[in-house]
Amino acid sequence: MTSQEKIAFKARLKQAGLQLISERIAMAKSAGDRAQEAANGEDKSSAGDKYETGRAMGHLEKDMYARQQAEHVKELARLQQVNTDSIYTTPQTGALVQCAEQSFFIAAGLGRQLIDEQTIFFLSPYTPLAKLLLQKKAGDQFLFNKEELTILTIY
C-alpha cells in the first residue's frame, strides 16, 4: 500500500467514525425527545403518586439521553481534530496499528467496526489499550482479548 493509499484509508476511517458518532447523536436526541413527550403525556390519575413518578422517570430518562448526546458531541469534536494526513511510525492519535488478526485506529472510542471488509477497532486515545499501544513499535507484541498480537505495521 502506498503512502497516499494509507492516508486515504485513514481518511475513510475517520469519515466512517464521524458518520457513526453523528448517528449516535441523532439517536440520543430522538430518544430524549420521546422521553420528554412521554413525561409530558402522563395524565393525572387517582392512583396517588403514579402521575408524579411517571413524570419523574420520564425526566430522568430524558436527562440520561441528554448526557449521552453531550458525550457524543465531545467525541465528535475530538475526532474532528484527529490528523489522518500523516504517516506515523509509532502509535499515537491518528495512527492505524495493524496486526495480522486485527487493526486498531487510535482516534475515537467506537469499538469494533467493519470498514472496507476489514475489522477495525476504533480506540479512544484515553483507553488503557491505546495507552499500552503508545509504548510499542512495529514488531512488538501485546496481549489483546487473551491473544498475543504482533504489530506488523503502523501508519
Side-chain angles (χ1 to χ4, degrees), residues 10-141:
K10 289 196 311 179
R12 283 196 307 278
L13 293 178
K14 180 178 176 178
Q15 189 58 45
L18 292 170
Q19 178 66 35
L20 185 60
I21 295 172
S22 296
E23 289 169 5
R24 288 180 180 180
I25 290 170
M27 286 189 304
K29 181 180 181 338
S30 177
D33 291 346
R34 283 192 309 275
Q36 180 65 50
E37 288 172 19
N40 292 344
E42 281 292 324
D43 291 330
K44 276 227 183 248
S45 72
S46 60
D49 291 335
K50 181 180 175 211
Y51 168 74
E52 286 80 13
T53 301
R55 285 184 60 84
M57 294 298 288
H59 287 294
L60 287 173
E61 191 174 357
K62 178 186 150 273
D63 290 346
M64 176 190 67
Y65 289 121
R67 283 190 303 277
Q68 285 179 358
Q69 185 178 352
E71 281 303 313
H72 294 320
V73 168
K74 284 182 199 173
E75 190 81 10
L76 183 70
R78 284 192 295 261
L79 182 54
Q80 288 170 334
Q81 300 299 314
V82 171
N83 178 12
T84 57
D85 296 334
S86 297
I87 299 293
Y88 300 105
T89 56
T90 59
Q92 56 190 286
T93 301
L96 183 73
V97 178
Q98 288 189 311
C99 301
E101 296 80 16
Q102 44 251 355
S103 297
F104 303 88
F105 183 48
I106 304 172
L110 301 174
R112 183 170 58 179
Q113 304 295 323
L114 189 62
I115 309 290
D116 291 354
E117 299 181 19
Q118 293 183 51
T119 299
I120 309 288
F121 285 89
F122 282 69
L123 299 177
S124 166
Y126 310 107
T127 62
L129 179 57
K131 289 178 181 178
L132 172 72
L133 289 175
L134 295 178
Q135 303 166 13
K136 304 291 183 185
K137 62 186 182 312
D140 286 352
Q141 295 182 331

